[in-house]
Amino acid sequence: MEVANLVDAGPLIGWLNASDQWHTWAVKTLSAVRGPLHTTEIVLAEACWHLGGNTQPVHALLGLVRVGVKDRVLTTWR
């Protein structure tokens, strides 16, 4: 599998948390990325922890992993 777009927890947190100081930057940056976003399971765990456990942003993040968004699929890479 070719991995062109590897994303860490910070941009994922900023993307899904409207009150995060990096929200605007994360939305703009990740929206401009072409192709699938890839990450690791530990990054997903860190993002979920920072987003607050059983919250709507966590469900949104895990939903991205399950079904993807448009032509972008957030996949885990081991």
Side-chain angles (χ1 to χ4, degrees):
M1 167 184 5
E2 181 180 325
V3 176
N5 302 308
L6 188 61
V7 64
D8 197 14
L12 293 175
I13 295 163
W15 192 22
L16 294 164
N17 181 356
S19 63
D20 188 89
Q21 67 178 348
W22 297 102
H23 176 72
T24 302
W25 173 87
V27 169
K28 182 178 178 181
T29 301
L30 293 179
S31 295
V33 172
R34 299 291 174 240
L37 299 172
H38 298 271
T39 193
T40 64
E41 291 171 354
I42 194 69
V43 166
L44 290 175
E46 180 184 355
C48 288
W49 186 84
H50 283 286
L51 289 169
N54 190 21
T55 61
Q56 193 279 329
V58 169
H59 290 282
L61 176 59
L62 297 178
L64 291 173
V65 174
R66 275 187 228 105
V67 298
V69 171
K70 299 180 188 171
D71 60 336
R72 255 181 274 177
V73 178
L74 184 66
T75 58
T76 58
W77 178 53
R78 295 177 193 215

Coordinates of all heavy atoms in Angstrom, one line a residue:
M1 N 0.8 -1.2 0.0 CA 0.0 0.0 0.0 C 0.9 1.2 0.0 O 1.8 1.4 0.8 CB -0.9 0.0 1.2 CG -1.6 1.3 1.5 SD -2.6 1.6 2.9 CE -2.5 0.2 4.0
E2 N 0.6 2.2 -0.9 CA 1.3 3.4 -1.0 C 0.7 4.4 0.0 O -0.5 4.6 0.0 CB 1.3 4.0 -2.4 CG 2.1 5.3 -2.5 CD 2.0 5.8 -3.9 OE1 2.0 5.0 -4.8 OE2 1.9 7.1 -4.0
V3 N 1.5 5.0 0.9 CA 1.0 6.0 1.8 C 1.6 7.3 1.5 O 2.8 7.6 1.6 CB 1.4 5.6 3.3 CG1 1.0 6.7 4.2 CG2 0.8 4.3 3.6
A4 N 0.7 8.2 1.0 CA 1.2 9.6 0.6 C 0.8 10.6 1.6 O 1.5 11.6 1.7 CB 0.5 9.9 -0.7
N5 N -0.3 10.4 2.4 CA -0.8 11.4 3.4 C -0.9 10.8 4.7 O -2.0 10.2 5.1 CB -2.1 12.0 2.9 CG -2.0 12.6 1.5 OD1 -1.2 13.4 1.3 ND2 -2.9 12.1 0.6
L6 N 0.1 10.9 5.5 CA 0.1 10.4 6.9 C -0.2 11.5 7.9 O 0.4 12.5 7.8 CB 1.5 9.8 7.2 CG 1.6 9.0 8.5 CD1 0.7 7.8 8.6 CD2 3.1 8.6 8.7
V7 N -1.3 11.3 8.7 CA -1.7 12.4 9.6 C -1.6 12.0 11.0 O -1.8 10.8 11.4 CB -3.2 12.7 9.2 CG1 -4.2 11.6 9.4 CG2 -3.6 14.0 9.9
D8 N -1.1 12.9 11.8 CA -1.0 12.7 13.3 C -2.2 13.1 14.0 O -3.1 13.7 13.4 CB 0.3 13.5 13.7 CG 0.8 13.0 15.1 OD1 0.4 11.9 15.5 OD2 1.6 13.7 15.7
A9 N -2.2 12.9 15.3 CA -3.4 13.3 16.2 C -3.7 14.7 16.2 O -4.9 15.1 16.2 CB -3.1 12.8 17.6
G10 N -2.7 15.6 16.2 CA -3.0 17.1 16.3 C -3.9 17.6 15.2 O -4.9 18.2 15.6
P11 N -3.7 17.4 14.0 CA -4.6 17.8 12.9 C -6.0 17.2 13.0 O -7.0 17.8 12.7 CB -3.9 17.4 11.6 CG -2.4 17.4 12.0 CD -2.4 16.9 13.4
L12 N -6.0 15.9 13.4 CA -7.3 15.3 13.6 C -8.1 15.9 14.7 O -9.3 16.1 14.5 CB -7.1 13.8 13.8 CG -6.6 12.9 12.7 CD1 -6.3 11.5 13.2 CD2 -7.4 13.0 11.5
I13 N -7.5 16.2 15.8 CA -8.1 16.9 16.9 C -8.6 18.2 16.5 O -9.8 18.6 16.7 CB -7.2 16.9 18.1 CG1 -6.8 15.5 18.6 CG2 -7.8 17.8 19.2 CD1 -5.6 15.5 19.5
G14 N -7.8 19.0 15.9 CA -8.1 20.3 15.4 C -9.3 20.3 14.4 O -10.2 21.1 14.4
W15 N -9.3 19.3 13.5 CA -10.3 19.2 12.5 C -11.7 19.0 13.1 O -12.7 19.5 12.6 CB -9.9 18.0 11.6 CG -10.7 17.8 10.3 CD1 -11.3 18.8 9.6 CD2 -10.8 16.6 9.6 NE1 -11.9 18.2 8.5 CE2 -11.5 16.9 8.4 CE3 -10.3 15.4 9.7 CZ2 -11.8 16.0 7.4 CZ3 -10.5 14.4 8.8 CH2 -11.3 14.7 7.6
L16 N -11.7 18.1 14.2 CA -13.0 17.7 14.7 C -13.5 18.5 15.9 O -14.6 18.4 16.4 CB -13.0 16.2 15.0 CG -12.8 15.4 13.8 CD1 -12.4 14.0 14.2 CD2 -14.1 15.4 13.0
N17 N -12.6 19.4 16.5 CA -12.9 20.1 17.7 C -13.0 21.6 17.3 O -11.9 22.3 17.2 CB -11.9 19.9 18.8 CG -12.2 20.6 20.0 OD1 -13.1 21.4 20.1 ND2 -11.4 20.4 21.1
A18 N -14.2 22.2 17.2 CA -14.3 23.5 16.7 C -13.7 24.5 17.7 O -13.4 25.7 17.3 CB -15.8 23.9 16.5
S19 N -13.5 24.2 19.0 CA -12.9 25.1 19.9 C -11.4 25.0 20.0 O -10.8 25.7 20.8 CB -13.6 24.9 21.3 OG -13.3 23.6 21.8
D20 N -10.8 24.1 19.3 CA -9.4 23.9 19.3 C -8.7 25.1 18.6 O -9.2 25.6 17.6 CB -9.0 22.6 18.6 CG -7.5 22.2 18.7 OD1 -7.2 21.5 19.7 OD2 -6.7 22.7 17.8
Q21 N -7.6 25.5 19.2 CA -6.9 26.7 18.6 C -6.4 26.5 17.2 O -6.2 27.4 16.5 CB -5.7 27.0 19.5 CG -4.6 26.0 19.5 CD -3.4 26.4 20.3 OE1 -3.3 27.6 20.8 NE2 -2.5 25.5 20.6
W22 N -6.3 25.2 16.8 CA -5.8 24.9 15.4 C -7.0 24.5 14.5 O -6.7 24.0 13.4 CB -4.8 23.8 15.5 CG -3.5 24.2 16.2 CD1 -3.2 23.9 17.5 CD2 -2.5 25.1 15.8 NE1 -2.0 24.5 17.9 CE2 -1.6 25.3 16.8 CE3 -2.3 25.8 14.6 CZ2 -0.5 26.1 16.7 CZ3 -1.2 26.6 14.5 CH2 -0.3 26.7 15.5
H23 N -8.2 24.6 14.9 CA -9.3 24.2 14.1 C -9.4 24.7 12.7 O -9.4 24.0 11.7 CB -10.7 24.5 14.8 CG -11.9 24.1 14.1 ND1 -12.2 22.8 13.9 CD2 -12.8 24.9 13.4 CE1 -13.3 22.8 13.1 NE2 -13.7 24.0 12.8
T24 N -9.3 26.0 12.6 CA -9.3 26.7 11.2 C -8.2 26.2 10.4 O -8.4 25.8 9.2 CB -9.3 28.2 11.4 OG1 -10.3 28.6 12.2 CG2 -9.4 28.9 10.0
W25 N -7.0 26.1 10.9 CA -5.8 25.6 10.1 C -6.1 24.2 9.7 O -5.8 23.8 8.6 CB -4.6 25.7 11.0 CG -3.4 25.1 10.3 CD1 -2.6 25.7 9.4 CD2 -3.0 23.8 10.4 NE1 -1.6 24.8 8.9 CE2 -1.8 23.6 9.6 CE3 -3.4 22.7 11.2 CZ2 -1.2 22.4 9.5 CZ3 -2.7 21.5 11.1 CH2 -1.6 21.3 10.3
A26 N -6.5 23.3 10.7 CA -6.7 21.9 10.4 C -7.8 21.7 9.3 O -7.6 20.9 8.4 CB -7.1 21.1 11.6
V27 N -8.9 22.4 9.4 CA -9.9 22.2 8.4 C -9.4 22.7 7.0 O -9.6 21.9 6.0 CB -11.2 23.1 8.8 CG1 -12.2 23.1 7.6 CG2 -11.8 22.5 10.0
K28 N -8.7 23.8 6.9 CA -8.2 24.3 5.7 C -7.2 23.3 5.1 O -7.2 23.0 3.9 CB -7.6 25.7 5.9 CG -7.0 26.3 4.6 CD -6.5 27.7 4.9 CE -5.9 28.3 3.6 NZ -5.3 29.6 3.9
T29 N -6.2 22.9 5.9 CA -5.2 22.0 5.5 C -5.7 20.6 5.1 O -5.3 20.2 4.0 CB -4.1 21.9 6.6 OG1 -3.6 23.2 6.9 CG2 -2.9 21.0 6.1
L30 N -6.5 20.0 5.9 CA -6.9 18.7 5.6 C -7.9 18.7 4.4 O -8.0 17.7 3.7 CB -7.5 18.0 6.8 CG -6.5 17.7 7.9 CD1 -7.2 17.0 9.1 CD2 -5.4 16.8 7.4
S31 N -8.6 19.7 4.3 CA -9.6 19.8 3.1 C -8.8 20.0 1.8 O -9.4 19.6 0.8 CB -10.5 21.0 3.3 OG -11.3 20.9 4.4
A32 N -7.6 20.4 1.8 CA -6.8 20.6 0.6 C -6.1 19.4 0.2 O -5.6 19.3 -0.9 CB -5.8 21.8 0.8
V33 N -6.0 18.4 1.1 CA -5.3 17.2 0.8 C -6.0 16.3 -0.2 O -7.2 16.2 -0.1 CB -5.1 16.3 2.1 CG1 -4.5 15.0 1.8 CG2 -4.2 17.1 3.1
R34 N -5.3 15.9 -1.2 CA -5.9 15.0 -2.2 C -5.5 13.6 -1.9 O -4.4 13.3 -1.6 CB -5.4 15.4 -3.6 CG -5.7 16.8 -4.0 CD -7.2 16.9 -4.2 NE -7.6 18.3 -4.4 CZ -8.5 19.0 -3.7 NH1 -9.0 18.4 -2.6 NH2 -8.8 20.2 -4.0
G35 N -6.5 12.7 -2.0 CA -6.2 11.3 -1.8 C -6.5 10.9 -0.4 O -6.9 11.8 0.5
P36 N -6.4 9.6 0.0 CA -6.8 9.2 1.3 C -5.8 9.7 2.4 O -4.6 9.9 2.1 CB -6.7 7.6 1.2 CG -5.8 7.4 0.0 CD -6.0 8.5 -0.9
L37 N -6.3 9.8 3.6 CA -5.5 10.1 4.7 C -5.2 8.8 5.4 O -6.1 8.0 5.6 CB -6.3 11.0 5.7 CG -6.7 12.4 5.2 CD1 -7.6 13.1 6.2 CD2 -5.4 13.2 4.8
H38 N -4.0 8.6 5.9 CA -3.6 7.4 6.6 C -3.1 7.8 8.0 O -2.6 8.9 8.2 CB -2.5 6.7 5.9 CG -2.9 6.2 4.5 ND1 -3.5 5.0 4.3 CD2 -2.8 6.8 3.3 CE1 -3.7 4.9 3.0 NE2 -3.3 6.0 2.4
T39 N -3.3 6.9 8.9 CA -2.8 7.1 10.3 C -2.6 5.8 11.0 O -2.7 4.7 10.3 CB -3.8 8.0 11.1 OG1 -3.2 8.5 12.3 CG2 -5.1 7.3 11.5
T40 N -2.3 5.8 12.2 CA -2.0 4.6 13.0 C -3.1 4.4 14.1 O -3.7 5.4 14.4 CB -0.6 4.5 13.6 OG1 -0.6 5.6 14.6 CG2 0.4 4.7 12.5
E41 N -3.2 3.2 14.6 CA -4.2 3.0 15.7 C -3.8 3.8 16.9 O -4.7 4.3 17.6 CB -4.2 1.5 16.0 CG -4.8 0.7 14.9 CD -4.7 -0.8 15.1 OE1 -4.1 -1.2 16.1 OE2 -5.3 -1.5 14.3
I42 N -2.6 4.0 17.2 CA -2.2 4.7 18.4 C -2.5 6.2 18.2 O -2.9 6.9 19.2 CB -0.7 4.5 18.8 CG1 -0.4 5.1 20.2 CG2 0.2 5.2 17.8 CD1 -1.0 4.3 21.3
V43 N -2.4 6.7 17.0 CA -2.8 8.1 16.7 C -4.3 8.3 16.9 O -4.8 9.2 17.5 CB -2.4 8.5 15.3 CG1 -3.1 9.8 14.9 CG2 -0.9 8.7 15.2
L44 N -5.1 7.3 16.5 CA -6.5 7.3 16.7 C -6.9 7.3 18.2 O -7.7 8.1 18.6 CB -7.2 6.2 16.0 CG -7.3 6.2 14.5 CD1 -7.9 4.9 13.9 CD2 -8.0 7.4 14.0
A45 N -6.2 6.5 18.9 CA -6.4 6.4 20.4 C -6.1 7.7 21.0 O -6.8 8.2 21.9 CB -5.5 5.3 21.0
E46 N -5.0 8.4 20.7 CA -4.6 9.7 21.2 C -5.6 10.7 20.9 O -6.1 11.5 21.7 CB -3.2 10.1 20.7 CG -2.8 11.4 21.2 CD -1.5 11.9 20.7 OE1 -0.8 11.2 19.9 OE2 -1.1 13.1 21.0
A47 N -6.1 10.8 19.6 CA -7.1 11.7 19.2 C -8.4 11.5 20.0 O -9.0 12.5 20.4 CB -7.3 11.6 17.7
C48 N -8.8 10.3 20.1 CA -10.0 10.0 20.9 C -9.9 10.4 22.3 O -10.8 11.0 22.9 CB -10.4 8.5 20.8 SG -11.0 8.0 19.2
W49 N -8.8 10.2 22.9 CA -8.6 10.6 24.3 C -8.7 12.1 24.4 O -9.4 12.6 25.3 CB -7.2 10.1 24.8 CG -7.0 10.4 26.3 CD1 -7.4 9.6 27.3 CD2 -6.3 11.5 26.8 NE1 -7.1 10.2 28.5 CE2 -6.4 11.3 28.3 CE3 -5.7 12.6 26.3 CZ2 -5.8 12.3 29.1 CZ3 -5.2 13.5 27.2 CH2 -5.2 13.4 28.6
H50 N -8.0 12.9 23.5 CA -8.1 14.3 23.6 C -9.4 14.9 23.2 O -9.8 16.0 23.7 CB -7.0 14.9 22.7 CG -5.6 14.9 23.2 ND1 -5.2 15.7 24.2 CD2 -4.6 14.1 22.9 CE1 -3.9 15.4 24.5 NE2 -3.5 14.4 23.7
L51 N -10.2 14.2 22.4 CA -11.5 14.7 22.0 C -12.5 14.4 23.1 O -13.7 14.8 23.0 CB -11.9 14.0 20.7 CG -11.1 14.6 19.4 CD1 -11.4 13.7 18.2 CD2 -11.5 16.0 19.2
G52 N -12.2 13.6 24.1 CA -13.1 13.4 25.2 C -13.9 12.2 25.4 O -15.0 12.2 25.9
G53 N -13.4 11.0 24.9 CA -14.1 9.8 25.2 C -15.3 9.6 24.3 O -15.2 9.7 23.1
N54 N -16.4 9.4 25.0 CA -17.7 9.0 24.3 C -18.4 10.3 23.9 O -19.5 10.7 24.4 CB -18.5 8.2 25.1 CG -19.7 7.6 24.4 OD1 -19.7 7.5 23.2 ND2 -20.7 7.2 25.2
T55 N -17.8 11.1 22.9 CA -18.4 12.3 22.5 C -18.7 12.3 21.0 O -18.2 11.4 20.3 CB -17.4 13.5 22.8 OG1 -16.2 13.3 22.1 CG2 -17.1 13.6 24.3
Q56 N -19.4 13.3 20.5 CA -19.7 13.4 19.1 C -18.5 13.5 18.2 O -18.4 12.8 17.2 CB -20.7 14.6 18.8 CG -21.3 14.6 17.5 CD -20.4 15.1 16.4 OE1 -19.6 16.0 16.6 NE2 -20.6 14.6 15.2
P57 N -17.4 14.3 18.6 CA -16.2 14.3 17.8 C -15.5 12.9 17.7 O -15.0 12.6 16.6 CB -15.3 15.3 18.4 CG -16.3 16.2 19.1 CD -17.4 15.3 19.6
V58 N -15.5 12.2 18.7 CA -14.9 10.8 18.7 C -15.7 9.9 17.8 O -15.2 9.2 16.9 CB -14.8 10.2 20.1 CG1 -14.5 8.8 20.1 CG2 -13.9 11.0 21.0
H59 N -17.1 10.0 17.9 CA -17.9 9.2 17.0 C -17.7 9.6 15.5 O -17.7 8.8 14.6 CB -19.4 9.3 17.4 CG -19.6 8.6 18.7 ND1 -19.8 7.2 18.8 CD2 -19.8 9.1 19.9 CE1 -20.0 6.9 20.0 NE2 -20.0 8.0 20.8
A60 N -17.5 10.9 15.3 CA -17.2 11.4 13.9 C -15.9 10.8 13.4 O -15.8 10.4 12.3 CB -17.2 12.9 13.9
L61 N -14.9 10.9 14.2 CA -13.6 10.4 13.8 C -13.6 8.9 13.5 O -13.1 8.4 12.5 CB -12.5 10.6 15.0 CG -11.1 10.1 14.7 CD1 -10.5 10.6 13.4 CD2 -10.2 10.3 15.9
L62 N -14.2 8.1 14.4 CA -14.3 6.7 14.2 C -15.2 6.4 13.0 O -15.0 5.4 12.2 CB -14.8 6.0 15.4 CG -13.9 6.1 16.6 CD1 -14.4 5.4 17.8 CD2 -12.5 5.6 16.3
G63 N -16.2 7.2 12.7 CA -17.0 7.1 11.5 C -16.2 7.3 10.3 O -16.5 6.6 9.2
L64 N -15.3 8.2 10.3 CA -14.4 8.4 9.1 C -13.6 7.1 8.8 O -13.4 6.7 7.7 CB -13.4 9.5 9.4 CG -14.0 10.9 9.5 CD1 -12.9 11.9 9.9 CD2 -14.5 11.3 8.1
V65 N -13.2 6.4 9.9 CA -12.4 5.2 9.7 C -13.3 4.1 9.1 O -12.9 3.4 8.2 CB -11.8 4.7 11.0 CG1 -11.2 3.4 10.9 CG2 -10.8 5.7 11.6
R66 N -14.6 4.0 9.6 CA -15.5 3.0 9.2 C -15.9 3.2 7.7 O -15.9 2.2 7.0 CB -16.7 3.0 10.1 CG -16.5 2.1 11.3 CD -17.8 2.0 12.1 NE -17.5 2.3 13.4 CZ -17.8 3.4 14.1 NH1 -18.5 4.3 13.5 NH2 -17.5 3.5 15.4
V67 N -16.3 4.4 7.4 CA -17.0 4.6 6.0 C -16.3 5.6 5.2 O -16.6 5.6 4.0 CB -18.5 5.0 6.2 CG1 -19.2 3.9 6.9 CG2 -18.6 6.3 6.9
G68 N -15.4 6.4 5.7 CA -14.7 7.4 4.9 C -15.6 8.6 4.6 O -16.7 8.7 5.0
V69 N -15.0 9.6 4.1 CA -15.7 10.9 3.7 C -15.4 11.2 2.3 O -14.2 11.3 1.9 CB -15.2 12.0 4.6 CG1 -15.7 13.3 4.1 CG2 -15.6 11.8 6.0
K70 N -16.4 11.3 1.5 CA -16.3 11.5 0.0 C -15.3 10.6 -0.6 O -15.5 9.4 -0.5 CB -15.9 13.0 -0.2 CG -16.9 14.0 0.3 CD -16.4 15.4 0.1 CE -17.3 16.4 0.8 NZ -16.7 17.7 0.7
D71 N -14.3 11.1 -1.2 CA -13.3 10.2 -1.8 C -12.1 10.0 -0.9 O -11.1 9.3 -1.2 CB -12.8 10.8 -3.1 CG -12.1 12.2 -2.9 OD1 -12.5 12.9 -1.9 OD2 -11.3 12.6 -3.7
R72 N -12.2 10.5 0.4 CA -11.1 10.4 1.3 C -11.5 9.3 2.3 O -12.5 9.4 3.0 CB -10.9 11.7 2.1 CG -9.7 12.3 1.6 CD -9.5 13.5 2.3 NE -10.3 14.5 1.6 CZ -10.4 15.7 2.0 NH1 -9.9 16.2 3.0 NH2 -11.2 16.6 1.3
V73 N -10.7 8.4 2.5 CA -10.9 7.3 3.5 C -9.7 7.4 4.5 O -8.6 7.4 4.2 CB -10.9 5.9 2.9 CG1 -11.1 4.9 4.0 CG2 -12.0 5.8 1.9
L74 N -10.1 7.6 5.8 CA -9.1 7.6 6.8 C -8.8 6.1 7.2 O -9.7 5.4 7.7 CB -9.6 8.3 8.0 CG -8.6 8.6 9.2 CD1 -7.5 9.5 8.8 CD2 -9.4 9.2 10.4
T75 N -7.6 5.6 6.9 CA -7.3 4.2 7.2 C -6.2 4.2 8.1 O -5.4 5.1 8.3 CB -6.9 3.5 5.9 OG1 -5.8 4.2 5.3 CG2 -8.0 3.5 4.8
T76 N -6.1 3.0 8.8 CA -5.0 2.8 9.8 C -3.9 2.1 9.1 O -4.1 1.2 8.2 CB -5.5 2.1 11.0 OG1 -6.0 0.8 10.6 CG2 -6.5 2.8 11.8
W77 N -2.7 2.4 9.4 CA -1.5 1.8 8.8 C -0.7 1.2 9.9 O -0.4 1.8 11.0 CB -0.8 2.9 8.2 CG 0.5 2.6 7.5 CD1 0.7 1.6 6.6 CD2 1.8 3.2 7.7 NE1 2.0 1.6 6.2 CE2 2.7 2.6 6.9 CE3 2.2 4.2 8.5 CZ2 4.0 2.9 6.8 CZ3 3.5 4.6 8.5 CH2 4.4 3.9 7.6
R78 N -0.3 -0.1 9.8 CA 0.5 -0.7 10.8 C 1.9 -0.9 10.4 O 2.2 -1.2 9.3 CB -0.1 -2.1 11.1 CG -1.5 -2.0 11.6 CD -2.0 -3.4 11.8 NE -3.5 -3.3 12.1 CZ -4.1 -4.1 12.9 NH1 -3.5 -5.1 13.5 NH2 -5.4 -4.0 13.0

